[in-house]
Structures are given as C-alpha cells and as structure tokens.
Amino acid sequence: MSNNNMVNDIELGTMKKPFNTTDSSNESLYSNENNKMSDKFQYSTESRWQDFKDSFKRVELEELDPSLTEAEKIAILTARSPLKRQLKSRHLQMIAIGGAIGTGLFVGSGSSLSAGGPAGVLIGYAISASFILCMVCALGELAVEFPISGGFTTYATRFVDESFGFAANLNYALQWLVTLPLEIVAASITVSYWDTPKKYRDAFVALFYIVIISINFFGVKGFGEAEFVFSIIKVACILGFIICGIALVCGARGGYIGGTYWHHPYGAFVGDSAGSRFKGTMSVFVSAAFAFSGSELVGLAAAETANPRKAMPKASKQVFWRLTLFYMVSLTLIGLLVSHKDSRLIGSSSVDAAASPFVIALVSHGIKGLPSVVNVVICIAVLSVGNSSVYACSRTLAALDEQGFAFKWMNLGYIDRAGRPLVGILVTSVFGLLSFVSASDKQVDVFNWLLAISGLSSLFSWAGISLCHIRFRRALSAQGRCTDELTFTSPLGIAGSYYSFIMIILVFVAEFWVAVWPTGYSDMTSSEIATNFFEVYLSFPLVLACYIGHKIYKKNWKLLIRAADMDIDTGRRETDFDQLKADVAQEKAVYDSLPLYKKLYSFWC
C-alpha cells in the first residue's frame, strides 16, 4: 500500500466514507462537517441567548476505529481537530511581524544591557536571531504541509519520539502558562512610572487580566483581529523610536553622542577580564530567548488559517525583517543612548520601576511626552503577548489531550462549537491569577523567576522544531520521496535546521557554564550560586524529568522513530501530489523568469 493512499483506507467508526485528510476543496472532512454544523447553528431560529449558550457545547466527532495503532490515532485526531480556520493572511503576517514584540524587548532588554553591555547585547541577540530565522523557515515548511492541531509540538511526537513529544508539549504549555502572569507583573512595574498609587496599580492588573481573557472568548477570529491591531501599534512605536533614536545619537538634543557609552569609562562589555565579558555576553541568551519567544506562533496558528499554503511562506519570511529591523536596530540605539551601568535597569543593583531602556533613553535625553507614549505601548504589548499566551497555551493543552498525554478527567481536548478549546482557556485563565502577586513587594523577584522558567523553554521548543524538520526530510529520503512534492521549502534548507539545532545546543552548554560559575563566583555564597543556577537553568531539569518520566512510564526505550515508519501523509491538505508537483513547477518557472530585484524581494518577503 502506498504512503499516499494509506490514510484513505482507514475507516472511522460508523462512517461509510473513508477518512481522508483532504477533499477536492482542500478542507478536512471533519472541518466540512463541523462547518455545516456551525452554519446550522448560526442560522438557528432560536433566540440569540440560546445560540450563545449552545456555542459552548462540545463538538462531537465520530469515534475512531479501535483497530488503529496509537500513532495512527494521534495523527488522525490532531488532523481532524474542529478548530475554526478563520485566520486570514493579514492576521498571520502581522502576528509574524509584531506578535512577539512584548515586554521581553521593551523591558527585559534592560537586564540584557545591564548584564552584557551594549556589545554583549548585540552579539547575544544577533546569534539568537540567526538560529531563530533558520528555525522559523523550517517551521514554515512543516506548517504548510501539516497545518494540524498543536503544530510543532505534534510534529515532535510524529517525527522524533513519543517521549520527546510529551516533553515538548508540556514544556511549551508551561512556557505560555507562566508567560501570562509574567507579562501582567511586568505591566504593574511599567504602570508605576506614572507614580500610580498601589491600589490603582492592582486595579490595572485586574483590568489587563479581564481584557486578555475576554478577547480569547471571542474565538480565533477575535484573537486574530486583536493581534492585528496590537501589532500595528507596536510596530509603529518601534519605528518611531528608531527615527527618534537616530536623531538623538546624531545630536538633535545637544552634543553628538555617537559611541560614547561604548568607550571609557563605560565599556562595550561588562567585566574586566575576557572570561567575565564572555560570561556577561552568554547571560544575555536567557533574556534574548524570552524576548524572541512567540516567533514560532505562526506555526501554531497554521491549523486555524484559511489558506496556509499562501499565508505561511510570507509570514515565515517576514520574521527576518522583524529580527533585523525591530530588534537589532532598536537595541543598537538603546546601547548608544543608555549606559549599561544605569541604576534604573532591571538587573542592576537598584531597580527603578520605570525599567524600560526605551523609556530611560527618552527621559535621559530630555524628551517630554514620548516616554508616557512608550509606556502606553508597553501596556498594549502586555495585552498582545498575554493574548498570545492564552491562545498558545490553550491550543497546546488541547493537542496534549488529543495525543493521549493528558489525564482524561481533565478533558483538555474539549473544543466547543465556536472552535474554542474551552477547558484549555479556563486552565490558562486560572493560572493567570498568579499575576496578582504584583501586590507583593517581591514583584521583581517574581518577574525574574517566571522569566527563568520561560526563557530556556523557548530554546527547547526551537531546538525541537529544527530536529523535527531534520527528521521529516530524513523520512522523505528513506521513503523514496523528495522535496518536489512540498508546497513550500525552507529558503535556508536542511542546512539551516542543522545550524539552528547545533547552535541551540551550544547555547545550552554556555548557559550551563554561566549558571554554575557566574560572574563574581568567588565572592558569592553557596545559596547565591544555587539561586543563580535555578534562575538561569530551571527549565532544563523540568524538561528532562518529563522526558525520562514518560520513557519509564510507557516503557518506551527507543530513541527515535525509524524514518521509514514515519507517517508523512496524515494531516496534509494537499494530497494530489501529481497536481501539486505541476503547480510548484509552474510557480518555479514564473519565479525564474523574474528580474533579479523581484527575485530578491520574493525570496525575503
């Protein structure tokens, strides 16, 4: 039996028509059935209130054939998930451009500047950006071919190993679970810039929390529209800061600044020796990973995108512009405008509430009004990343259930008629109540610990995506197939995934060294060293425990799924490979006929 037709021969429950991941309209059978159900529901003659109540009822799907293997069941369950495909190309592109711009950049970059200096920040972020770009291009290839529930966390179960998939799912869910309260805690720090009374700052936390949760109850369309607006505002703010920053560096508000903060007595790096400077630079990776977290969201959103074949390639390419323009240019200006010894930065000896280096840069150079505007944008960024947190965590929890990794009594796979993973949203919302710890005097400590949990989690996710891409390409080769049948291939190819995977492993090694032997190690107590280690490396033992624990529980001792045994067909929206090859060949012919400047534009945009 050929791999292409294998899934078509699987009978699901009592259905007379065999299950196929696609039909002539490139839509899943179950999505079509589900959409019909939604249409009936939408035009119901009952009252709007009754319709609203009915929208929370679970979508009931046909039972699977009990004779299927566990791997086949997982593949089909994630492929037929009744999530709504209501995200448009403009939604996905704005999520790619501005979706991950949050307090990691606006506030967390201050700790990077304090720990690494202006040169250390650029080196750390540039290295991170290089392997993230490779990862996102690889993710784009996978997400176009397999726009399924859970996205890349599901790929890990399919292309690597079930235990690795369990660890990847739990890690990613935990990452976003802690990001929601983390963002709101950061917001409480930011709001204090206006000398807001304590009781009102707590009210702001409640306001942010309610808005974020409410948006996600409007379904994926509400999420997409909110992110579209939020991203436009954040991008406009960054562009405005870049223009203003260039003017300030060139002397618009007094004397020429140039590279003053890179030289004596400040220095481009933190530390007096080469070793301490290297450690300072390596310490940037945790906050850089947190700042870049969310870069992979476009892959998760592919399952709810109307046409991932058209939207995903553009979205994955546009990550390049976000990394280059918004991060690298703005951080270069921050290093030129703010001293890494400024006591107002998070991570320095005296933490001021107005900890954003963007705000500090404007205030220090006498700009009136704009610092408050930036703080408003930071609050909007909190709403944006918090919105993404609930979205990503709820979808991951649903995929966790669909893959059989969650307790059945938790019912995490509950998806209602509006396409909302309802239980997942509720679980994330309840955990988000941790944000009210901002009322404590230890809010900055909470910020640092939540950042520690979230930081390296992103690195695990990105390494997993690169490994999945490597394994997928290996499966194609082992099964006598090639990339000609792929709708979209990563512009950086398999070499980019190897580079990304290897670089992330090296970052883990460097971070372990920094965690165990931090700068000033000889002057630290054993308690301080232990605290530093877990603040930097906390997520590593958590992921390792999940991986080994699943191996022991399932008695699953294989390291990798054999490439020849991988299912590389279930979940694909394009299964007419002959027609697909013809379409791709035609598109390549059109591309080859373009002039050079249009080829370059098409390649990167």
Side-chain angles (χ1 to χ4, degrees):
M1 183 185 299
S2 68
N3 287 329
N4 295 357
N5 298 321
M6 177 177 63
V7 72
N8 297 337
D9 297 329
I10 298 174
E11 296 276 347
L12 297 184
T14 60
M15 293 191 64
K16 296 180 180 179
K17 184 177 179 180
F19 178 80
N20 192 336
T21 56
T22 56
D23 59 15
S24 58
S25 63
N26 290 333
E27 292 294 332
S28 163
L29 170 65
Y30 282 95
S31 290
N32 286 339
E33 293 296 325
N34 202 32
N35 289 339
K36 290 176 184 177
M37 184 186 304
S38 288
D39 290 341
K40 291 178 182 177
F41 166 76
Q42 183 177 355
Y43 297 104
S44 171
T45 57
E46 297 176 350
S47 67
R48 290 186 179 182
W49 173 244
Q50 185 62 42
D51 290 348
F52 173 74
K53 290 192 295 182
D54 287 346
S55 73
F56 292 95
K57 293 181 179 179
R58 184 171 190 164
V59 173
E60 298 297 336
L61 299 176
E62 295 289 340
E63 293 293 331
L64 292 176
D65 188 335
S67 65
L68 297 175
T69 66
E70 194 66 28
E72 288 172 336
K73 289 179 181 178
I74 291 173
I76 294 170
L77 282 169
T78 53
R80 73 173 191 176
S81 181
L83 297 170
K84 297 295 184 183
R85 294 174 181 171
Q86 295 179 331
L87 288 180
K88 300 178 181 178
S89 180
R90 64 182 177 88
H91 295 142
L92 208 61
Q93 291 183 43
M94 287 311 298
I95 290 172
I97 293 174
I101 298 176
T103 53
L105 175 63
F106 286 119
V107 181
S109 57
S111 64
S112 298
L113 182 62
S114 177
V121 166
L122 289 183
I123 292 172
Y125 274 76
I127 292 174
S128 298
S130 67
F131 60 69
I132 288 171
L133 178 61
C134 295
M135 176 275 299
V136 172
C137 288
L139 177 60
E141 178 180 314
L142 291 172
V144 169
E145 295 304 314
F146 303 96
I148 57 181
S149 174
F152 50 86
T153 60
T154 309
Y155 306 151
T157 304
R158 257 184 165 184
F159 303 141
V160 184
D161 170 57
E162 286 184 18
S163 298
F164 186 82
F166 173 73
N169 273 266
L170 213 55
N171 168 68
Y172 196 65
L174 182 61
Q175 172 189 334
W176 286 110
L177 205 59
V178 302
T179 297
L180 177 58
L182 172 60
E183 290 293 321
I184 298 179
V185 169
S188 70
I189 298 175
T190 303
V191 169
S192 65
Y193 173 79
W194 292 292
D195 295 324
T196 310
K198 185 68 174 178
K199 60 180 180 180
Y200 295 127
R201 293 206 298 270
D202 297 340
F204 270 109
V205 170
L207 177 63
F208 290 142
Y209 177 83
I210 292 171
V211 171
I212 289 169
I213 301 305
S214 299
I215 289 172
N216 279 271
F217 275 103
F218 283 97
V220 67
K221 191 171 184 179
F223 165 78
E225 293 295 349
E227 281 304 295
F228 183 78
V229 174
F230 291 156
S231 294
I232 288 176
I233 295 173
K234 290 186 290 184
V235 167
C237 177
I238 294 292
L239 291 175
F241 176 81
I242 289 173
I243 294 170
C244 180
I246 292 174
L248 291 175
V249 170
C250 293
R253 295 287 295 183
Y256 174 75
I257 298 173
T260 301
Y261 292 125
W262 284 59
H263 302 292
H264 182 78
Y266 304 104
F269 295 93
V270 173
D272 299 325
S273 64
S276 62
R277 291 172 182 171
F278 180 76
K279 285 183 178 179
T281 302
M282 291 301 101
S283 66
V284 170
F285 283 108
V286 172
S287 53
F290 172 65
F292 287 131
S293 62
S295 300
E296 71 292 332
L297 266 179
V298 289
L300 192 67
E304 296 173 88
T305 301
N307 192 346
R309 180 182 173 185
K310 299 295 183 182
M312 276 300 301
K314 290 182 179 180
S316 59
K317 291 176 184 178
Q318 287 173 352
V319 170
F320 168 79
W321 298 108
R322 187 188 75 213
L323 297 177
T324 303
L325 183 62
F326 301 144
Y327 279 89
M328 300 313 299
V329 174
S330 61
L331 288 174
T332 298
L333 292 170
I334 287 295
L336 294 173
L337 294 171
V338 180
S339 168
H340 64 265
K341 296 185 178 180
D342 196 304
S343 61
R344 291 170 290 182
L345 295 171
I346 285 183
S348 56
S349 57
S350 175
V351 178
D352 191 280
S356 169
F358 289 80
V359 174
I360 293 171
L362 296 173
V363 170
S364 299
H365 295 86
I367 302 296
K368 304 293 185 181
L370 284 183
S372 291
V373 173
V374 173
N375 269 278
V376 170
V377 174
I378 292 174
C379 292
I380 291 174
V382 167
L383 293 176
S384 175
V385 180
N387 186 33
S388 297
S389 301
V390 179
Y391 174 84
C393 188
S394 61
R395 271 65 181 176
T396 304
L397 290 175
L400 198 71
D401 183 83
E402 290 166 346
Q403 296 173 78
F405 293 145
F407 294 113
K408 289 299 179 183
W409 59 267
M410 297 183 71
N411 214 11
L412 293 175
Y414 187 108
I415 298 177
D416 65 21
R417 295 182 182 182
R420 297 168 297 208
L422 203 57
V423 176
I425 292 174
L426 292 174
V427 169
T428 310
S429 303
V430 170
F431 195 87
L433 293 173
L434 187 61
S435 58
F436 287 95
V437 77
S438 61
S440 167
D441 294 333
K442 299 292 185 179
Q443 61 178 355
V444 174
D445 293 333
V446 172
F447 182 95
N448 290 334
W449 279 107
L450 292 177
L451 179 61
I453 295 174
S454 179
L456 287 184
S457 294
S458 298
L459 291 171
F460 279 110
S461 297
W462 300 333
I465 291 168
S466 299
L467 181 59
C468 287
H469 184 237
I470 293 169
R471 296 289 299 157
F472 171 65
R473 288 290 191 92
R474 177 73 186 91
L476 278 178
S477 176
Q479 297 180 24
R481 296 157 72 170
C482 62
T483 57
D484 290 343
E485 69 180 51
L486 302 182
T487 304
F488 168 71
T489 56
S490 168
L492 301 174
I494 193 68
S497 293
Y498 274 110
Y499 167 79
S500 177
F501 184 74
I502 293 170
M503 286 301 300
I504 293 173
I505 297 301
L506 292 177
V507 169
F508 276 126
V509 173
E511 285 301 309
F512 181 80
W513 179 49
V514 171
V516 177
W517 295 282
T519 303
Y521 169 80
S522 58
D523 298 326
M524 297 173 67
T525 65
S526 57
S527 176
E528 290 172 334
I529 293 172
T531 299
N532 179 80
F533 175 81
F534 285 109
E535 283 186 348
V536 174
Y537 229 70
L538 181 59
S539 58
F540 185 89
L542 293 177
V543 173
L544 192 63
C546 291
Y547 178 76
I548 295 175
H550 187 272
K551 286 284 185 190
I552 296 172
Y553 181 74
K554 289 288 188 178
K555 296 181 173 59
N556 169 28
W557 308 119
K558 65 178 182 290
L559 184 62
L560 297 170
I561 298 173
R562 291 179 67 247
D565 296 335
M566 288 184 200
D567 178 2
I568 55 176
D569 290 302
T570 305
R572 296 175 84 163
R573 292 196 192 177
E574 307 275 358
T575 54
D576 186 347
F577 295 123
D578 291 334
Q579 181 61 46
L580 180 60
K581 288 179 181 179
D583 292 343
V584 172
Q586 183 179 2
E587 291 169 2
K588 287 183 177 179
V590 172
Y591 175 80
D592 291 338
S593 66
L594 296 174
L596 180 60
Y597 74 93
K598 286 190 176 181
K599 285 183 179 179
L600 290 174
Y601 178 83
S602 178
F603 183 83
W604 289 111
C605 301

